[in-house]
Amino acid sequence: MTEDGKQAVIVVGAGIIGAAIAFELQRRGRSVTIIDNAEPGQGASFGNMASIALDFAASSGPSTWRRIPGWLLDPEGPVWLRPTYAPKILPWFLRFLAAGRSSRLKEIEDAGMALSAPALRDFRAMLNAIGVPELMTEEGCLAIYETEAEFASDRGHIALMQRYGFEHKVLLGAEIRDYEPALSPKIAKAVLLPDNKSIRDPYRLVLRLVEAAKALGMSMVTGEVCNVERLPDGSVSVALSDGRHVDAAQVVLAAGVRTRFIAKTLGEPIPLETERGYHTQIMRPGISMRYSVIWPQRAFMVTPTAGGIRVGGNVELAGLDAPPEYRRPRVLVRHAQRALPGLKVEEATDWMGHRPALPDTIPIISPSSRIAGVWYATGHGHLGLTLSATTARLLADMMAGIAPSVDMNPFRIDRY
């Protein structure tokens, strides 16, 4: 307990997941300290595609398996594996394949959709609570297809939306340009996803969450966490690499892919890998857009955000330490110009970040299986922004002993 009687909680990680959790706990009366070795929002949260993507889809499965060889052989394909990293990622990849078995796939889809279903409602509530509801757009997202064959290859995703009752509308020909005039006439079909909103500036959102939590009394510590241990009095101590220790009643590990290093020291290793993602932020694009656009066949997205237009996506498997390969975002921009022929690339910057990915796609939102008082919130992959508010609400409930509204068993840390 702190001097004012509040229960102290440390949140390790100042990205969108950590910031949302810290705010939610602080406003529920906890005394929160965020620890990170960088400024808030400087990791994957800085460069995400600003999308609230409710249409969860498991990454593995037969349709993905059939495409993987072609993707890996295509130098401009949506997945790129650096050959030197192949031996290191093999155990993770085998788990990824196992997650796509029919006996497991339905469980994963049910779990993912259980988190997605309340995500938009939770996100609106979070934005209202921090006083910036205008950060979310009212327009949705358009999934685009150049040919009927492309549309047919995505039928599993469309069937998933139908099965779980997610609103969508198929658009044809000129009707597509009625929604988004900048799109090429070569785009033959599109699916409107009206509830897949966008955030006007995801980095600003993280900063606003931190500001709002600080206004309620939250504090911040800069440092690199190297270990966590339970003390004889029942509290939990977080050790920093410079020798400092910060103690609290509970600790939440929400440091993205780097959570795996802390988990390993606690004796519960998790198969958390980095899916390196790239974007190009274009501040003078020469076009305006109302909707975000995703091209499933080419695995990239274009979003009006952060004062310009952002083009990003794809997956690079190369670990944490390899230098960025900025040829990747240039490929994405060329694809984007095929869909948006008026798109110019002026005043543009490239970026690379590390998405924290688990082989079965769904995150870990769970108490530690070994140390009381330690909690995990990591592995959200491409859906960190989407699931941030829901993760914060569910984890705060569990930490308070409140039965969560979602079955949390699929998200436990010891499921592997």
Side-chain angles (χ1 to χ4, degrees):
M1 291 287 183
T2 60
E3 291 182 359
D4 58 6
K6 293 182 178 180
Q7 190 179 49
V9 180
I10 294 169
V11 176
V12 181
I16 184 60
I17 297 294
I21 291 169
F23 172 72
E24 182 66 21
L25 291 172
Q26 188 71 45
R27 75 171 184 153
R28 291 194 188 196
R30 304 296 183 92
S31 179
V32 179
T33 300
I34 285 184
I35 302 179
D36 201 310
N37 62 354
E39 292 297 311
Q42 290 293 311
S45 299
F46 180 85
N48 65 49
M49 287 308 297
S51 174
I52 308 300
L54 304 182
D55 51 323
F56 172 88
S59 295
S60 190
S63 63
T64 302
W65 301 342
R66 288 191 293 269
R67 297 177 181 180
I68 286 174
W71 285 344
L72 294 179
L73 292 172
D74 183 355
E76 295 192 356
V79 178
W80 187 42
L81 171 63
R82 293 203 189 186
T84 55
Y85 197 66
K88 294 181 181 179
I89 202 172
L90 181 59
W92 185 94
F93 184 68
L94 294 175
R95 290 179 185 267
F96 172 81
L97 293 177
R101 300 191 313 268
S102 57
S103 59
R104 179 78 176 110
L105 196 55
K106 180 64 164 53
E107 296 175 353
I108 292 171
E109 290 172 347
D110 285 344
M113 285 296 190
L115 291 183
S116 289
L120 183 57
R121 180 193 67 217
D122 289 341
F123 214 101
R124 288 190 190 280
M126 182 175 75
L127 292 179
N128 287 333
I130 62 176
V132 286
E134 70 279 2
L135 274 184
M136 181 184 289
T137 68
E138 288 306 313
E139 286 73 23
C141 175
L142 291 169
I144 61 172
Y145 308 90
E146 196 171 40
T147 65
E148 188 64 37
E150 281 189 10
F151 181 75
S153 70
D154 202 32
R155 62 184 178 273
H157 182 203
I158 296 167
L160 186 73
M161 289 188 288
Q162 292 172 334
R163 185 163 73 244
Y164 289 94
F166 280 85
E167 186 179 352
H168 64 285
K169 179 183 180 182
V170 178
L171 307 176
L172 302 174
E175 187 181 16
I176 299 169
R177 262 64 64 187
D178 291 340
Y179 282 85
E180 189 52 77
L183 282 168
S184 167
K186 294 180 180 179
I187 303 302
K189 238 175 188 179
V191 175
L192 172 64
L193 307 170
D195 289 334
N196 279 22
K197 309 299 186 183
S198 298
I199 300 301
R200 299 187 194 280
D201 190 330
Y203 176 54
R204 183 186 163 206
L205 171 60
V206 176
L207 297 184
R208 181 64 194 127
L209 280 165
V210 170
E211 290 170 1
K214 281 183 174 179
L216 296 174
M218 187 198 77
S219 60
M220 293 197 65
V221 171
T222 301
E224 182 178 359
V225 174
C226 59
N227 196 12
V228 178
E229 62 178 344
R230 189 166 177 82
L231 301 178
D233 65 0
S235 62
V236 184
S237 183
V238 174
L240 306 184
S241 58
D242 60 7
R244 289 177 294 163
H245 287 78
V246 185
D247 299 344
Q250 294 176 301
V251 173
V252 178
L253 302 177
V257 69
R258 297 185 183 278
T259 307
R260 75 188 191 197
F261 301 121
I262 307 172
K264 188 175 181 179
T265 68
L266 300 182
E268 43 191 353
I270 49 179
L272 193 57
E273 187 54 71
T274 170
E275 290 186 0
R276 294 153 58 108
Y278 291 86
H279 86 218
T280 298
Q281 180 72 28
I282 306 169
M283 301 309 291
R284 292 179 59 195
I287 61 171
S288 61
M289 296 176 65
R290 289 181 58 206
Y291 292 83
S292 60
V293 170
I294 186 167
W295 196 337
Q297 184 72 15
R298 299 180 182 271
F300 77 92
M301 189 171 193
V302 186
T303 309
T305 191
I309 286 177
R310 181 171 295 178
V311 181
N314 278 7
V315 169
E316 182 191 28
L317 303 172
L320 280 170
D321 300 323
E325 174 52 85
Y326 285 121
R327 180 176 61 86
R328 303 299 296 174
R330 287 188 279 277
V331 169
L332 297 178
V333 168
R334 287 204 303 274
H335 290 334
Q337 288 175 316
R338 184 182 179 102
L340 300 156
L343 178 63
K344 297 178 181 178
V345 186
E346 299 179 1
E347 293 185 17
T349 54
D350 295 330
W351 173 92
M352 187 274 288
H354 298 277
R355 308 182 191 100
L358 290 159
D360 58 2
T361 310
I362 54 177
I364 293 171
I365 308 170
S366 167
S368 167
S369 62
R370 297 180 62 87
I371 301 180
V374 174
W375 300 80
Y376 289 86
T378 191
H380 292 72
H382 297 247
L383 298 178
L385 180 65
T386 300
L387 301 178
S388 57
T390 299
T391 296
R393 175 176 62 82
L394 293 172
L395 188 67
D397 282 348
M398 289 193 292
M399 293 174 69
I402 300 170
S405 58
V406 171
D407 176 11
M408 301 304 294
N409 188 58
F411 313 107
R412 68 190 189 280
I413 190 170
D414 59 352
R415 67 182 186 257
Y416 295 101

